[in-house]
Amino acid sequence: MSHQNNTDSIIKAVAEVCPHFPHHKAEGKWQKRWEQEKAFSTQENGGDKKFYCLEMFPYPSGKLHMGHLRNYAIGDVMARYYRMKGFSVLHPMGYDAFGLPAENAAIKNKVHPNHWTFNNIKEMKDQQTALGLSYDWEKDIATCHPEYYKWGQWLFLKFWEKGLVYKKEGLLNWCPDCQTVLANEQVVDGSCWRCDTTVVQKHMPQWYIKITDYAEELLNDLDKLDEWPHKVLVMQRNWIGRSEGAEIVFKIADGAEAGREIPVFTTRPDTIFGSTYMVLAPEHSLVETLIAGMENETQCREFIEKVAKMEKMDRTDDSTKKEGVFTGRYAINPVNQEKIPIWIANYVLVEYGTGAVMAVPTHDQRDFEFAREYDLPMRVVIKPEDAEFNTAEDMTEAWVDAGLMVNSAQFDGLPNDEGKKKVTVWMEDQGMGKSSINYRLRDWGISRQRYWGMPIPLIYCDACGVVTVPEDQLPVQLPLDVEIKGDGSPLARHEGFQKVACPKCGAQAKRESDTIDTFWDSSWYFLRYIDARNDEAPFSVEKANEWMPVDLYIGGVEHAVLHLLYSRFFTKALRDVGLVNVDEPFKKLVTQGMVTKDGAKMSKSKGNVVDPAVIVDKYGSDAARVFILFTSPPERDLEWSDEGVVGASRFIDRIYRLVMRFAESLKNEPVVKADKIGESAQSLRRICHKTIEAVTVDIEERIGLNTSIAKIMELVNEMYRFTEKDTINKCDFPVFRESVETLLRLFSPFAPHICDELYEAIGGEGFVLDQEWPKHNPAYLQSETMLLVVQVNGKVRGKVTVPSDADKDVVWEAALKEEQIVRWLEDKEPKKVIYVPKKLMNIVI
RNA sequence: GGCCGGGUGGUGGAACGGUAUACACGAGGGACUUAAAAUCCCUUGCCGACAACGGCUUGAGGGUUCGAAUCCCUCCCCGGCUACCA
């Protein structure tokens, strides 16, 4: 057959009348097939190319919102992409199923939390399936399932063995009317959210986890997380809040407690000679003994009470004035033996440092304001050379910057930052204090006086004390025969649950009735997915080491601190127990932006919620996915637009029509190699390969899903141009076929249903997901000529078309042939000609 | 107050030192239709009444550079987080 004959034969498009992608029917059909053929099972292909793709698991509220859709759409594209790239991909889903809303629903609707939760899980899973998300459902988990929390309890025991668990008194929100502990979210304007009684702070024994043992490592390892958003790293750094300084010991000067030590923490030991008074937090443990029997006792007590109330009302109010009272007592400044007054003030926090500060009003703005208010003594001890002040009287605000030390005995004349170290060393020698590092991070209080949570596997025995539940007795099952009324934990009055024989001595003992913070459950779920059905261990160490770390973790920024910090801590603690060999759980983190409407975050109270289920119902999940991925880059906020979804739906239809027009030929024409092809086919091929390259780079290097879709749209536009005539030369057909197959592959991670539908229509077998991700051929990117911009003095004045291999001289010649350019040059000799190969030429005159 | 984002057409957004406004939405006009929907085509940053053409334009003002939305400095506005951390 001659080439001539080939060009003569043409392939005709089938006549049709604007067909629609029948998404309602076709999407369901594919979802069913994917399920039947286990298309999303984790395939471990043995190689070293693994990709663990994780989206933050949802609380099972029963309904997906737009934030979920966005989160999962991003994750699904990435999971499908890497799978097509030949990676072993782990892409699981589960439910963070313990927590308050289930109990609230129980009180309100008289349904059991267990029933309510599992019902919701089912509904959510159905919705997720309807989105065509490629989860391996054989690995799903629900944290409220005994098979899951059994291992949460087991891990608790490991932490216990490591000495990471301890008990101490903690302050809790307590509603005296409901006789129950309230979570912070249940305290509204200082009152109980249900009965409006004023909430009080109550000291109760609580279990704590020593996360502070890992503070230093949690901080230092942030440097390893080079694929985390900068914002999140900063938030974690601030949360851990490391401060270097000194702990200095002051002594009580007089009274019955004379000589008793009051340590303070300061980051400014260089200012110690300027400490002219001391302030304790109202809750400080020494306050009681200090004020007892003093003249000001009543006044002090009134103040303490006032602060206690203020604190829970609105501590964050920045208009809160610094207030305090004098205890009547004095302390001794160890460096100069000065007697300084001890005050109590609202601006000192009991939780930070030692709960006591040495006040240096001249060099700390808060102390300055307080001292001015109460007329306390001040002394300048740091002075810059060009100081505008000589004595404290000249100051209008505290001097907090660098300077030379003055009024500081043997340290006079030293630059203050040098003084910091020298003073500390000297004080250490004198036994007055020591260098100290303080963290803002507190130990993690995990006790919750609630029902719907993981029981803490501990037993109280009168004879043996606190005894852990033996491993072979796990799980400690959460009893289901309870009545939830909201008046305290039902576990505390559940006899069958509480009564237990002591595992050590066999005597009658009592179970811990507190449950654990739900953050415990979510701190290790990513490890359980790896080996979700293991009934002998939380997960196999070997498998965990294969899959960890999670390569890509996607979720909302609201978890930037707590969940991500606890998970990091768990990973490190489990590493020390020998269960994993990684230091950090999440390699790359993407925090997706909010979905907004009318400029505000979607919320029930604002009434601007759009239900993804309604959108999926109307336009199909492909359209919903494409819209939400196309409209904004993943990390930025996304403004919802009804028209935008229509646009996405239109684009999907457009692809459907294009491919269906030629489906018959694509299915039946023999596949041949492209031989001699025409100019428009060459151009199509070039754009096709350019698109492959661009989409691959966009997805892989920056998760640029919006631009990926834009580039696929450009390819489709080009294909429409190519097929304008309704006929394609036979010799050009292989190029068109290639473009269709490429399009379906490139687009399938975004819109998997339509791509499988069309793939089938053109005679493809199986799922596009199992096809290889296309590779671009660099040779096809070349064209014979290129268009170059010619600038004169930095402004575009013309364009020239030159051969692709043209060098500077050739371009220069071509430029001189352009009338426009010549006119702008005005016969002047160019001062300089800058040539950027393949881009532009700039002529400076 | 501190820290982190962000300011580009009517709108969502492209462009990570090299043609600013890709791609899409919306709008306007046209074709097809008895009509509508759907679809297809054209126009669409602003100004010079139109075209050729020219000027202006990435929150404001400076700077570096042959060349700046992009880098540097100063300032303004919007959003988020955090908040007396000694």
Side-chain angles (χ1 to χ4, degrees), chain A residues 395-412:
Chain A
M395 296 176 110
T396 52
E397 56 182 6
W399 176 262
V400 295
D401 296 327
L404 298 178
M405 294 175 71
V406 292
N407 297 322
S408 298
Q410 71 268 37
F411 299 100
D412 283 356

PDB file of all heavy atoms in Angstrom, chain A residues 395-412:
ATOM      1  N   MET A 395      12.388  57.369  81.960  1.00  0.00           N
ATOM      2  CA  MET A 395      11.882  56.369  81.007  1.00  0.00           C
ATOM      3  C   MET A 395      10.388  56.516  80.749  1.00  0.00           C
ATOM      4  O   MET A 395       9.615  56.810  81.662  1.00  0.00           O
ATOM      5  CB  MET A 395      12.157  54.957  81.524  1.00  0.00           C
ATOM      6  CG  MET A 395      13.628  54.637  81.639  1.00  0.00           C
ATOM      7  SD  MET A 395      13.864  52.994  82.364  1.00  0.00           S
ATOM      8  CE  MET A 395      14.470  52.115  80.946  1.00  0.00           C
ATOM      9  N   THR A 396       9.998  56.311  79.493  1.00  0.00           N
ATOM     10  CA  THR A 396       8.570  56.279  79.167  1.00  0.00           C
ATOM     11  C   THR A 396       8.130  54.852  78.886  1.00  0.00           C
ATOM     12  O   THR A 396       6.957  54.535  78.826  1.00  0.00           O
ATOM     13  CB  THR A 396       8.270  57.147  77.945  1.00  0.00           C
ATOM     14  OG1 THR A 396       9.171  56.756  76.901  1.00  0.00           O
ATOM     15  CG2 THR A 396       8.442  58.612  78.257  1.00  0.00           C
ATOM     16  N   GLU A 397       9.118  54.019  78.653  1.00  0.00           N
ATOM     17  CA  GLU A 397       8.832  52.589  78.505  1.00  0.00           C
ATOM     18  C   GLU A 397      10.095  51.819  78.878  1.00  0.00           C
ATOM     19  O   GLU A 397      11.163  52.408  79.001  1.00  0.00           O
ATOM     20  CB  GLU A 397       8.421  52.269  77.071  1.00  0.00           C
ATOM     21  CG  GLU A 397       9.444  52.704  76.045  1.00  0.00           C
ATOM     22  CD  GLU A 397       9.028  52.441  74.612  1.00  0.00           C
ATOM     23  OE1 GLU A 397       7.885  52.019  74.387  1.00  0.00           O
ATOM     24  OE2 GLU A 397       9.870  52.639  73.732  1.00  0.00           O
ATOM     25  N   ALA A 398       9.937  50.517  79.050  1.00  0.00           N
ATOM     26  CA  ALA A 398      11.079  49.707  79.455  1.00  0.00           C
ATOM     27  C   ALA A 398      12.099  49.641  78.319  1.00  0.00           C
ATOM     28  O   ALA A 398      11.730  49.664  77.146  1.00  0.00           O
ATOM     29  CB  ALA A 398      10.620  48.305  79.823  1.00  0.00           C
ATOM     30  N   TRP A 399      13.384  49.595  78.667  1.00  0.00           N
ATOM     31  CA  TRP A 399      14.434  49.429  77.666  1.00  0.00           C
ATOM     32  C   TRP A 399      14.716  47.924  77.559  1.00  0.00           C
ATOM     33  O   TRP A 399      15.275  47.330  78.475  1.00  0.00           O
ATOM     34  CB  TRP A 399      15.698  50.191  78.056  1.00  0.00           C
ATOM     35  CG  TRP A 399      16.803  49.953  77.074  1.00  0.00           C
ATOM     36  CD1 TRP A 399      17.830  49.078  77.197  1.00  0.00           C
ATOM     37  CD2 TRP A 399      16.937  50.560  75.791  1.00  0.00           C
ATOM     38  NE1 TRP A 399      18.608  49.093  76.083  1.00  0.00           N
ATOM     39  CE2 TRP A 399      18.097  49.991  75.187  1.00  0.00           C
ATOM     40  CE3 TRP A 399      16.223  51.523  75.074  1.00  0.00           C
ATOM     41  CZ2 TRP A 399      18.523  50.353  73.904  1.00  0.00           C
ATOM     42  CZ3 TRP A 399      16.662  51.892  73.808  1.00  0.00           C
ATOM     43  CH2 TRP A 399      17.795  51.307  73.227  1.00  0.00           C
ATOM     44  N   VAL A 400      14.282  47.339  76.422  1.00  0.00           N
ATOM     45  CA  VAL A 400      14.398  45.878  76.338  1.00  0.00           C
ATOM     46  C   VAL A 400      15.503  45.452  75.376  1.00  0.00           C
ATOM     47  O   VAL A 400      15.779  44.268  75.219  1.00  0.00           O
ATOM     48  CB  VAL A 400      13.059  45.233  75.908  1.00  0.00           C
ATOM     49  CG1 VAL A 400      12.002  45.452  76.982  1.00  0.00           C
ATOM     50  CG2 VAL A 400      12.590  45.801  74.575  1.00  0.00           C
ATOM     51  N   ASP A 401      16.139  46.443  74.719  1.00  0.00           N
ATOM     52  CA  ASP A 401      17.176  46.081  73.750  1.00  0.00           C
ATOM     53  C   ASP A 401      18.547  45.980  74.408  1.00  0.00           C
ATOM     54  O   ASP A 401      18.676  46.118  75.612  1.00  0.00           O
ATOM     55  CB  ASP A 401      17.177  47.106  72.618  1.00  0.00           C
ATOM     56  CG  ASP A 401      15.868  47.061  71.843  1.00  0.00           C
ATOM     57  OD1 ASP A 401      15.305  45.951  71.736  1.00  0.00           O
ATOM     58  OD2 ASP A 401      15.400  48.108  71.391  1.00  0.00           O
ATOM     59  N   ALA A 402      19.545  45.809  73.566  1.00  0.00           N
ATOM     60  CA  ALA A 402      20.900  45.593  74.063  1.00  0.00           C
ATOM     61  C   ALA A 402      21.473  46.853  74.702  1.00  0.00           C
ATOM     62  O   ALA A 402      21.006  47.972  74.461  1.00  0.00           O
ATOM     63  CB  ALA A 402      21.793  45.136  72.912  1.00  0.00           C
ATOM     64  N   GLY A 403      22.482  46.679  75.506  1.00  0.00           N
ATOM     65  CA  GLY A 403      23.145  47.805  76.141  1.00  0.00           C
ATOM     66  C   GLY A 403      24.262  47.304  77.045  1.00  0.00           C
ATOM     67  O   GLY A 403      24.583  46.118  77.045  1.00  0.00           O
ATOM     68  N   LEU A 404      24.848  48.238  77.788  1.00  0.00           N
ATOM     69  CA  LEU A 404      25.908  47.863  78.720  1.00  0.00           C
ATOM     70  C   LEU A 404      25.331  47.780  80.126  1.00  0.00           C
ATOM     71  O   LEU A 404      24.451  48.553  80.496  1.00  0.00           O
ATOM     72  CB  LEU A 404      27.030  48.907  78.688  1.00  0.00           C
ATOM     73  CG  LEU A 404      27.745  49.074  77.341  1.00  0.00           C
ATOM     74  CD1 LEU A 404      28.799  50.180  77.441  1.00  0.00           C
ATOM     75  CD2 LEU A 404      28.393  47.758  76.900  1.00  0.00           C
ATOM     76  N   MET A 405      25.881  46.856  80.889  1.00  0.00           N
ATOM     77  CA  MET A 405      25.383  46.683  82.253  1.00  0.00           C
ATOM     78  C   MET A 405      25.884  47.807  83.150  1.00  0.00           C
ATOM     79  O   MET A 405      27.039  48.218  83.066  1.00  0.00           O
ATOM     80  CB  MET A 405      25.822  45.320  82.799  1.00  0.00           C
ATOM     81  CG  MET A 405      25.169  44.155  82.056  1.00  0.00           C
ATOM     82  SD  MET A 405      25.771  42.543  82.580  1.00  0.00           S
ATOM     83  CE  MET A 405      25.072  42.412  84.201  1.00  0.00           C
ATOM     84  N   VAL A 406      24.991  48.326  83.978  1.00  0.00           N
ATOM     85  CA  VAL A 406      25.347  49.350  84.976  1.00  0.00           C
ATOM     86  C   VAL A 406      24.690  48.964  86.292  1.00  0.00           C
ATOM     87  O   VAL A 406      23.760  48.146  86.307  1.00  0.00           O
ATOM     88  CB  VAL A 406      24.873  50.764  84.556  1.00  0.00           C
ATOM     89  CG1 VAL A 406      25.641  51.265  83.344  1.00  0.00           C
ATOM     90  CG2 VAL A 406      23.371  50.790  84.290  1.00  0.00           C
ATOM     91  N   ASN A 407      25.156  49.587  87.376  1.00  0.00           N
ATOM     92  CA  ASN A 407      24.600  49.292  88.709  1.00  0.00           C
ATOM     93  C   ASN A 407      24.573  47.796  88.999  1.00  0.00           C
ATOM     94  O   ASN A 407      23.678  47.299  89.662  1.00  0.00           O
ATOM     95  CB  ASN A 407      23.179  49.852  88.851  1.00  0.00           C
ATOM     96  CG  ASN A 407      23.163  51.358  88.749  1.00  0.00           C
ATOM     97  OD1 ASN A 407      24.080  52.026  89.255  1.00  0.00           O
ATOM     98  ND2 ASN A 407      22.162  51.897  88.075  1.00  0.00           N
ATOM     99  N   SER A 408      25.535  47.086  88.420  1.00  0.00           N
ATOM    100  CA  SER A 408      25.513  45.637  88.547  1.00  0.00           C
ATOM    101  C   SER A 408      26.838  45.116  89.097  1.00  0.00           C
ATOM    102  O   SER A 408      27.403  44.140  88.593  1.00  0.00           O
ATOM    103  CB  SER A 408      25.210  44.993  87.197  1.00  0.00           C
ATOM    104  OG  SER A 408      23.942  45.370  86.725  1.00  0.00           O
ATOM    105  N   ALA A 409      27.354  45.804  90.082  1.00  0.00           N
ATOM    106  CA  ALA A 409      28.572  45.388  90.785  1.00  0.00           C
ATOM    107  C   ALA A 409      29.703  45.068  89.820  1.00  0.00           C
ATOM    108  O   ALA A 409      29.993  45.868  88.930  1.00  0.00           O
ATOM    109  CB  ALA A 409      28.282  44.202  91.699  1.00  0.00           C
ATOM    110  N   GLN A 410      30.256  43.872  89.929  1.00  0.00           N
ATOM    111  CA  GLN A 410      31.457  43.553  89.143  1.00  0.00           C
ATOM    112  C   GLN A 410      31.163  43.398  87.651  1.00  0.00           C
ATOM    113  O   GLN A 410      32.072  43.273  86.851  1.00  0.00           O
ATOM    114  CB  GLN A 410      32.137  42.280  89.692  1.00  0.00           C
ATOM    115  CG  GLN A 410      31.393  40.996  89.445  1.00  0.00           C
ATOM    116  CD  GLN A 410      30.458  40.642  90.585  1.00  0.00           C
ATOM    117  OE1 GLN A 410      29.828  41.514  91.192  1.00  0.00           O
ATOM    118  NE2 GLN A 410      30.369  39.368  90.911  1.00  0.00           N
ATOM    119  N   PHE A 411      29.878  43.397  87.275  1.00  0.00           N
ATOM    120  CA  PHE A 411      29.531  43.210  85.856  1.00  0.00           C
ATOM    121  C   PHE A 411      29.392  44.525  85.106  1.00  0.00           C
ATOM    122  O   PHE A 411      29.171  44.545  83.910  1.00  0.00           O
ATOM    123  CB  PHE A 411      28.230  42.413  85.731  1.00  0.00           C
ATOM    124  CG  PHE A 411      28.336  41.044  86.347  1.00  0.00           C
ATOM    125  CD1 PHE A 411      27.833  40.787  87.616  1.00  0.00           C
ATOM    126  CD2 PHE A 411      28.992  40.023  85.658  1.00  0.00           C
ATOM    127  CE1 PHE A 411      27.947  39.536  88.183  1.00  0.00           C
ATOM    128  CE2 PHE A 411      29.111  38.761  86.233  1.00  0.00           C
ATOM    129  CZ  PHE A 411      28.586  38.504  87.489  1.00  0.00           C
ATOM    130  N   ASP A 412      29.533  45.635  85.790  1.00  0.00           N
ATOM    131  CA  ASP A 412      29.379  46.940  85.156  1.00  0.00           C
ATOM    132  C   ASP A 412      30.254  47.062  83.919  1.00  0.00           C
ATOM    133  O   ASP A 412      31.420  46.677  83.936  1.00  0.00           O
ATOM    134  CB  ASP A 412      29.739  48.064  86.144  1.00  0.00           C
ATOM    135  CG  ASP A 412      28.603  48.295  87.142  1.00  0.00           C
ATOM    136  OD1 ASP A 412      27.558  47.632  86.978  1.00  0.00           O
ATOM    137  OD2 ASP A 412      28.788  49.102  88.056  1.00  0.00           O
TER     138      ASP A 412
END
